[in-house]
């Protein structure tokens, strides 16, 4: 996970170098949920143009919000699962803390679609350039157009490179450092986010939720074989085939083909010759199907957080975790029956 100044210099301008930098350095440091890793991460970005190391050291300390505002902007975590597990808890909190304010989710369209049926949530379009150079990614955040005087709540968003890129005045900014908050506990991220919301905004019991505008009919079993682009999370073709055979023999099944060709191919192989419904379309619509299904099955990915938030019974296979703390933080958390099968 070490990085040289030459690595960073190349990543500043070269999108390919930036992709390697994020894969080999940034993401591993972000995923271990360890204070030393967060400090190392911040030090790496210390002299990167557009980042403010000392401001980060200040805002990472939670402070009580006594302000009011006409507009409150919650930054998307960019990934769908994190927006359900973390950002939605913040949205639930600020809706209650600021009942007369306009509440905005700043992020991609596909992320906003998870909350499009919630009349309190407005969309502030922002597409994070995940394939760009480091300067492209930082510069995009600096061009984020916020309502004048808005309070900004940052749930450890990739938009700000996890709190290092200023997008508003410091006095208007509230940052949830999810990688170190509750570091002495084994709590899952939705529970930790709710604790932070109580500490900062005084709101009790903030919860994860989704509110897609339209969904598709559910089934006895809703299935996602998605791994968020991480092949280590998959259990293999034999396992996936056996799972689909067992589920199809016991009732109706709907399975998401996902956004990537690799996932669609795995779904085709696992479902070949079986009577199952395959969904190819927006994840928000599939989230609606999860909400109306009797049970959810999948890996550590966005679907598990949707099912947990909706109270749908779920069974997930959790493999490929970088460490035990990662597994603890990203476990599904909600009011329904949850079965997590850990596998190395």
């Amino acid at each position: 996970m070490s990085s040289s100044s030459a690595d960073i210099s190349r990543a500043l301008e070269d999108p390919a170098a930036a992709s390697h930098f994020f894969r080999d350095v940034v993401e591993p440091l972000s995923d271990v949920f360890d204070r030393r890793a967060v400090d190392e991460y911040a030090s790496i970005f210390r002299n990167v143009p557009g980042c403010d190391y000392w401001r980060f050291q200040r805002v990472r300390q939670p402070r009580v919000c006594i302000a009011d505002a006409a507009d409150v902007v919650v930054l998307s975590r960019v990934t769908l699962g994190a927006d359900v597990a973390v950002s939605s808890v913040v949205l639930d909190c600020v809706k209650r803390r600021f009942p007369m304010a306009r509440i905005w989710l700043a992020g991609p369209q596909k992320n906003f679609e998870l909350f499009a049926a919630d009349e309190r949530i407005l969309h502030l379009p922002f597409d994070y350039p995940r394939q760009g150079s480091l300067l492209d990614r930082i510069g995009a955040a600096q061009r984020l157009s916020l309502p004048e005087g808005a309070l900004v709540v940052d749930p450890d968003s990739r938009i700000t490179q996890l709190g290092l890129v200023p997008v508003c005045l410091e006095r208007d900014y509230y940052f949830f450092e999810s990688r170190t908050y509750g570091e002495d506990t084994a709590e899952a991220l939705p529970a930790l986010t709710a604790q932070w919301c109580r500490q900062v905004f005084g709101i009790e019991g903030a919860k994860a939720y989704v509110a897609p505008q339209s969904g598709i009919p559910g089934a006895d079993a809703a299935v996602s074989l998605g791994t968020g682009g991480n092949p280590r999370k998959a259990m293999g073709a034999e396992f996936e085939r056996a799972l689909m055979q067992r589920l199809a023999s016991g009732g109706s099944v709907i399975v998401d083909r996902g956004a990537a060709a690799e996932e669609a191919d795995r779904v085709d192989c696992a479902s070949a010759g079986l009577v199952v419904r395959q969904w190819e379309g927006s994840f928000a619509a599939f989230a609606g199907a999860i909400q109306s299904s009797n049970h959810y099955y999948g890996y550590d990915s966005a679907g598990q957080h949707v099912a947990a938030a909706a109270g749908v019974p779920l069974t997930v296979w959790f493999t490929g975790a970088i460490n035990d703390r990662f597994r603890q933080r990203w476990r599904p958390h909600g009011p329904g029956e949850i079965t997590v099968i850990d596998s190395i």
Side-chain angles (χ1 to χ4, degrees):
M1 290 188 291
S2 61
S3 177
S4 68
S5 58
D7 293 331
I8 299 171
S9 297
R10 286 192 292 269
L12 285 173
E13 303 286 350
D14 181 2
S19 293
H20 289 292
F21 176 63
F22 273 80
R23 184 195 65 197
D24 299 336
V25 179
V26 170
E27 292 174 4
L29 288 172
S30 303
D31 285 345
V32 295
F33 291 93
D34 178 88
R35 183 170 292 274
R36 289 170 298 180
V38 174
D39 291 342
E40 182 179 348
Y41 173 91
S43 294
I44 288 171
F45 279 82
R46 185 168 184 163
N47 297 314
V48 172
C51 295
D52 191 330
Y53 174 85
W54 293 111
R55 182 181 186 271
F56 170 76
Q57 298 301 337
R58 294 191 297 271
V59 301
R60 68 192 296 193
Q61 308 301 323
R63 75 184 197 280
V64 175
C65 175
I66 59 174
D68 203 356
D71 293 275
V72 179
V73 177
V74 176
L75 302 182
S76 166
R77 290 271 306 230
V78 180
T79 59
L80 295 167
D83 268 351
V84 178
V86 180
S87 306
S88 76
V89 180
V90 175
L91 290 171
D92 181 49
C93 167
V94 297
K95 284 193 302 178
R96 293 156 57 192
R97 172 62 175 79
F98 303 96
M100 303 305 294
R102 291 177 291 269
I103 309 297
W104 304 82
L105 177 66
Q109 174 67 28
K110 66 179 181 179
N111 298 62
F112 170 71
E113 287 173 358
L114 288 169
F115 309 100
D118 186 339
E119 294 181 354
R120 286 293 313 278
I121 306 301
L122 303 171
H123 186 206
L124 188 63
F126 179 86
D127 289 318
Y128 175 71
R130 300 179 77 170
Q131 304 303 316
S133 70
L134 183 52
L135 286 181
D136 289 336
R137 303 178 196 218
I138 291 171
Q142 295 171 329
R143 293 190 295 274
L144 180 63
S145 181
L146 300 169
E148 185 175 355
L151 295 185
V152 175
V153 187
D154 182 350
D156 231 1
S157 173
R158 182 52 62 195
I159 292 172
T160 63
Q161 300 308 322
L162 313 186
L164 282 157
V165 182
V167 293
C168 66
L169 295 175
E170 188 174 331
R171 72 183 185 199
D172 298 330
Y173 182 74
Y174 296 86
F175 177 61
F176 170 48
E177 190 182 271
S178 67
R179 292 155 293 149
T180 62
Y181 193 84
E183 58 191 325
D184 296 327
T185 77
E187 295 279 9
L189 281 171
L192 289 176
T193 309
Q195 292 174 22
W196 180 84
C197 287
R198 181 173 63 247
Q199 179 182 0
V200 173
F201 294 105
I203 296 299
E204 296 283 348
K207 296 179 181 178
Y209 79 104
V210 291
Q213 198 159 46
S214 60
I216 51 179
D220 292 318
V223 182
S224 171
L225 300 179
T227 62
N230 182 355
R232 294 182 306 163
K233 293 182 179 182
M235 296 282 288
E238 238 181 80
F239 166 84
E240 293 173 353
R241 176 63 176 174
L243 173 66
M244 295 301 292
Q245 286 176 324
R246 178 169 65 84
L247 296 179
S249 68
S252 59
V253 178
I254 181 169
V255 57
D256 185 17
R257 288 178 59 81
E262 176 273 335
E263 183 178 342
D265 289 343
R266 287 193 290 111
V267 168
D268 286 341
C269 290
S271 305
L274 303 177
V275 180
V276 302
R277 262 192 304 147
Q278 293 192 13
W279 168 248
E280 188 167 21
S282 75
F283 180 76
F286 186 69
I290 293 173
Q291 287 180 304
S292 58
S293 291
N294 295 331
H295 203 104
Y296 172 81
Y297 298 85
Y299 297 130
D300 166 37
S301 197
Q304 69 173 354
H305 299 298
V306 171
V312 173
L314 66 132
T315 302
V316 295
W317 287 264
F318 211 123
T319 186
I322 193 169
N323 60 13
D324 287 341
R325 181 52 57 86
F326 180 95
R327 198 188 309 269
Q328 292 164 352
R329 292 296 186 253
W330 286 111
R331 290 169 84 92
H333 175 86
E337 179 184 343
I338 296 173
T339 301
V340 177
I341 302 172
D342 293 327
S343 179
I344 296 175

